Amino acid sequence: MSKSKSSESIKVVVRCRPMNEKEKAAKFEMVVSVDVKLGQIIVRNPREAAANEHPKVFTYDSVYDWNSKQIDLYDETFRPLVDSVLLGFNGTIFAYGQTGTGKTYTMEGVRNDPERRGVIPNSFEHVFTHISRSQNQQYLVRASYLEIYQEEIKDLLSKDQTRRLELRERPDTGVYVKDLSSFVTKSVREIEHVMNVGNQNRSVGATNMNEHSSRSHAIFVITVECSELGVDGENHIRVGKLNLVDLAGSERQTKTGAQGERLKEATKINLSLSALGNVISSLVDGRSSHIPYRDSKLTRLLQDSLGGNARTVMVANIGPASYNLEETLTTLRYSNRAKNIKNKPRINEDPKDALLREFQEEIARLKEQLEKRSGKKKRRRRRRGGEGSDGEDLEEGETEEDEEEGEDKGDYWREQQEKLERERKAIMEDHSLVAEEKLRLLKEKEKKMEDLKREKDAGEMLSAKVKAMESKLLVGGKNIVDHTNEQQKMLELKRQEITEQVHHIL
Amino acid sequence: MASVSSDEWRAICDKFTNAQNLTVVESLNDPDNDPFRSKYKARELLREIYCSLKSFEAGEGEEESGGETGESGESGESGEQLPVEAPVDGQTEEAFSQGFCGDSPAGLRAAKLGAVEYYLGVNHVDTEELSAGQEHLMNSMKLLGRCRVSSENVSLFIHARNQLGILWAGRDETETAQGFLETAESIYQRYMKEDGSPPTDMADYFSTEENQLTHQERTKRFELAYTHTMYYLAQVYKNLGETERAAIYCHSTLQRQLKLNQFSPMEWALNAATLSQYYITKGRYMEGRHCLSAATVISGLAGEVPSEAAAQESETESERREQLRQKRAEIARCWIKYCLNILQDSKKLLEDSIGELDTDRQEEMKRGRRLEEEEEEKERKSAMLFGSEDTFDSIASLEEKVRCLLPMDFTEARAIFLVGQHYVTQAKDYFQMDGYVTDHIEILQDHSSLFRSLAFYEEDLDRRCKMHKRRVDMMEPVCMELNSKYYLMIRRQMMFELAETYNEMMDLKLTLANRQDETESLDSHTIKKFNNLCSASAKYFQMFLDSLCSPEGKQPEHLEEEVLRPALVARFRVARLYSRLICTSPPGQVENLDKSLEHYKYVVDYCDSHPEAVATVETELELSREMVGLLPLKINRIKAKIHANN
């Protein structure tokens, strides 16, 4: 990849799964062969009538056959993409293919088996490992999860699963999903939890479960914000966004599993009058007219990934058996077209909507508040010390350095409370006061005690808030110390070297 | 045949109800690994019904020559592809004149068997067994072929052909599909002409007496089937590339939905508004206006927009508010395009070679616009009218608010402009900048184009200039507000338009000044104004050119296709603008001309090194070459003067 070039094509890889038991038992022919060296998929038509036909050859950036390992796929194809997300680029992974061709295996794989773990868990691991090894950087990682089904957007992480969300645009930050929730995650475990919650929501509430899962698109978005002191002495924030997109099954929009013959691709007639609008708008020449039917929500939402500011990898999954021939060809042709899409990725530096900046500012603000509070307290204490002296506060803003806040504070509160209690008692026992006056004074004291308590709670809440916010920001080393770190790093380097060598050889 | 009240008959009716329920309701819940379970069950029931019907026949000793059609589903099961040869549908004429009466026992029996074949056919098609489906549907046709069209069977005639149309279209045999659907069309038309009574629905064949459909329901189902025929034909014509015919059939579909009250107002209105866009791009403004007026009126049937307060109280109200506002704003945008296109079309007719109003031509066109023209339009119109009794008048009165003839002078153009502007306001009310950036700007661009078109008719140059100023005022702030990271394309468009608008204003100012003052020199105030406009124009062209640079600010070595012409034209225009700046000091003149030369040179050099660019900018290139030759002479002359004066 040359550095001066600002545009790059979508990277397209194709993976072919092995024949499954059922296909073997039914003695289906294998029609797909994979040439890993040349990056080619070769498909031949098994029908006798087509015996003279040349097999169809498709070339991609990489191809993977049934022997390919998850980790190889990750290291060669996805690791560089996730690396650039960590540098502040947008990255998108599209998984595409007919249902049953291993899309889920490629993306998710077998969670608890490190060998068979898919792209998603591998990328989680990758992101947080990277952070743990970082130095002098502050990170904020958050995740969102949404689904598009029949042009409706659903927030898979929201409590209310009946609510539909809308796409909106802002002049400064572009397209966004209004009210989409996002969760700050601090570890692999947390982000996995977020994903699991979403996955559960994906499957509930659908009237026709199977149709739903194979016809809906799901997008898991990981936003990695990284703050670092620049040479100019200012903190700079880079924001990388990783979209993990599980596209709806590429099979024809009719059900699979038919007993009889299969349809061939054709310009089919829309049966339902609800599509009349589509028919009409297809007649209109779009140049000087307005067509009230928008691009699909998926396209609008991912426009950056398809010819915009992003690096994009598309992984197409296919099956090798003869009965899937048509669909396999459709998938391969579609992927071929995707190769022509050019992106222009840039590092997103100091964007206006960086959450990290907000966090940093909020923490600073809260800390300042806390400091002011403790300043005020000290003032009072001092005043208490010089009892009787009613002078002006000249110590405004003065703060002592490094007191052990917690205990000291506890003492102070206790003292205050005891003092008030004493005064209250004194009033009660003072017989010189008339009843009314006594009541008034008592009430006053009680109110003071309440105020005191409220102030104390507020202070505690403030410091808790600061702690909570700070805990969401991740820094290397301290957070996740693992001694396997170095070892693992070495191993990874080795693997990377090998991968590169292999590429050189090819 | 078993008497209608017998138990046997009842059992058949039950089976049929069951099969329908399995097909329509149960099938939605079938599991992934067995997606057609319910449909296969329904198929079994239908087969049983078929056998029972057959056995009734046998029992009653009526020899039936159709026996050989028998069980034809088997072939489908084997997964074998039947030889696909396109059958030809029988003639409508025969269907009406030959065969036995529809209400004779033989006719009824054929219809019932035909209906079961029909349902079996649909079932097979649904389960992706097309060949078997085709066979069943053809059997259904064959059985009916022995009957004359009558109210007892006409519905089945139409339904079976609709299905065959779909089936053949799915095989990419569009002409065959067309044949079936067109026959259905003519059968319907002839039946309605000759008989027209509410026909029996196929479901009626298998329902007990107490469950028979009402006349109203029968008519509704029958008409809906024919609406589908129209709709399928529209798609068939579209796939055949016969766009105009497809549009006619879309139009009829909409007409029928309205007439038969089978529509949802908003959906219908939006479809009609979309259809208007087809008409306006074909220059058929009367049709376009009718569609738009109907769209506006029908969208009103969807009710009032809930207030903001009501929307805050309930989720459904809020959603309804959103939906109604959005769709009405969409319709408003279609109206804007109507006004814009009609203005632009007449401008194209009336402008001379330099884009000014050709008054001779204007007179000629005005004279040529005969009174009969509108009469003619009325005739054309009766064929495509939308509306029911209660909406007809409102649609007509809305149509009267804007003309559908090309405007010929400022007054006529202004009337259209005002209507367009009214809809701009309406559309912007929903599509606000915050939330709908792209839409909002598209509307702004249309508004600017409306002004631009109107300015063409304005004879007073000062007022014309003010119109262009309005365009600048609406676009400039928005263009600066946008983040180019997300709105690069839109910003480029706006920069270009701003540059051109300033350029136009500059030209107007100059013409005005020259007109007012015949003497040679311009006063300093005018010069200042002129130079400001000139610089503003150059500034936006330059911004456009800068937007093509790499993040590091480097000019691209190779211009991509979609920006090739705009980039070279912008260069050329900047070059021209620099040479036009009025400067009294000779060194300043040299400086401007140097810049001008530099840009002209760029155009020439780029085309020399990229021969593929030449064709896109032929005129500009020719002029640039000339200037590259001439400007150095001029520069040298001024330099010589400076030298001499020193």
Side-chain angles (χ1 to χ4, degrees), chain B residues 266-321:
Chain B
M266 264 310 170
E267 193 187 316
W268 191 93
L270 222 52
N271 289 342
T274 311
L275 186 58
S276 78
Q277 302 297 291
Y278 167 79
Y279 287 123
I280 64 168
T281 50
K282 299 279 175 228
R284 288 161 63 179
Y285 291 105
M286 186 198 54
E287 286 90 339
R289 181 181 66 174
H290 188 61
C291 286
L292 284 167
S293 305
T296 301
V297 169
I298 300 300
S299 83
L301 299 181
E304 290 280 310
V305 175
S307 69
E308 217 166 321
Q312 257 156 25
E313 299 247 313
S314 99
E315 184 106 351
T316 44
E317 284 299 277
S318 143
E319 200 161 297
R320 214 172 88 83
R321 181 181 153 84

Side-chain angles (χ1 to χ4, degrees), chain A residues 357-367 465 469:
Chain A
R357 174 80 70 220
E358 265 176 57
F359 262 67
Q360 286 174 339
E361 280 166 6
E362 178 73 7
I363 289 171
R365 203 176 57 78
L366 290 174
K367 273 190 172 162
K465 215 167 161 190
M469 291 191 85

Side-chain angles (χ1 to χ4, degrees), chain A residues 83-113:
Chain A
D83 274 333
S84 52
V85 169
L86 291 165
L87 285 174
F89 285 98
N90 294 336
T92 298
I93 298 172
F94 283 107
Y96 179 77
Q98 184 194 351
T99 308
T101 49
K103 230 174 10 161
T104 314
Y105 182 72
T106 299
M107 290 306 277
E108 302 198 20
V110 184
R111 290 245 165 205
N112 301 322
D113 180 350

Side-chain angles (χ1 to χ4, degrees), chain B residues 8 77 106 128 156 161 184 235 253 305 309 324 345 359 361 372 386 394 442 455 466 478 510 515-516 539 546 566 588:
Chain B
E8 282 162 288
E77 215 91 341
E128 302 182 355
L156 186 53
R161 281 173 177 79
Q235 298 180 62
T253 309
V305 175
L324 289 180
D345 272 4
T359 45
R361 186 143 177 74
E372 302 98 275
F386 284 130
S394 348
E442 270 169 27
K466 287 204 172 89
V478 173
L510 193 65
R515 250 189 220 176
Q516 280 162 356
K539 178 183 96 184
D546 291 344

Side-chain angles (χ1 to χ4, degrees), chain A residues 4 6-7 99 152 160 162-164 166-176 207-208 210-211 213-214 252 254-285 287-294 300 303-304 309 344 346-349 351-353, chain B residues 27-32 35-36 40 43 76-77 79-81 127-132 165-166 169-172 181 224 227-228 231-232 234-236 238-239 243 246-247 250 253-254 257 267 270-271 273-275 277-278 280-281 315 322 330 333-334 337 341 430 433-439 442 481-483 485-487 551 560:
Chain A
S4 63
S6 65
S7 76
T99 308
E152 287 192 332
D160 178 7
T162 59
R163 199 163 156 218
R164 298 290 167 259
E166 291 298 327
L167 279 183
R168 290 283 184 265
E169 282 176 81
R170 263 195 302 250
D172 51 349
T173 55
V175 178
Y176 66 101
T207 46
N208 187 340
N210 311 306
E211 186 177 296
S213 61
S214 63
R252 291 166 294 104
T254 50
K255 292 187 181 180
T256 50
Q259 291 177 355
E261 65 190 278
R262 310 292 302 249
L263 282 164
K264 85 174 193 223
E265 288 287 324
T267 31
K268 267 185 288 173
I269 280 189
N270 248 314
L271 304 189
S272 160
L273 278 165
S274 62
L276 177 59
N278 299 343
V279 177
I280 296 175
S281 47
S282 71
L283 303 175
V284 182
D285 174 3
R287 264 173 303 136
S288 53
S289 56
H290 174 67
I291 299 173
Y293 300 90
R294 311 271 328 211
R300 277 187 73 202
Q303 60 188 20
D304 256 350
N309 172 23
K344 286 183 181 157
R346 295 179 300 266
I347 289 180
N348 303 307
E349 200 151 0
K352 287 187 179 138
D353 54 347
Chain B
S27 64
L28 296 178
N29 301 319
D30 287 344
D32 204 14
F36 297 137
Y40 291 143
R43 180 189 297 180
E77 215 91 341
E80 226 175 280
Q81 179 93 24
T127 52
E128 302 182 355
E129 293 169 50
L130 288 201
S131 306
I166 293 165
R171 287 176 168 155
D172 254 356
L181 293 168
L224 188 61
T227 305
H228 277 94
Y231 176 48
Y232 298 154
Q235 298 180 62
V236 161
K238 186 197 92 183
N239 293 344
T243 316
C250 286
T253 309
L254 284 170
Q257 287 183 313
E267 193 187 316
L270 222 52
N271 289 342
T274 311
L275 186 58
Q277 302 297 291
Y278 167 79
I280 64 168
T281 50
E315 184 106 351
E322 167 73 21
E330 294 276 12
R333 291 178 71 179
C334 292
K337 293 291 186 188
N341 274 275
Y430 177 79
M433 184 70 166
D434 188 16
Y436 304 91
V437 179
T438 310
D439 297 277
E442 270 169 27
E481 190 188 345
L482 288 181
N483 184 341
K485 205 149 116 199
Y486 304 102
Y487 300 101
E560 273 165 52

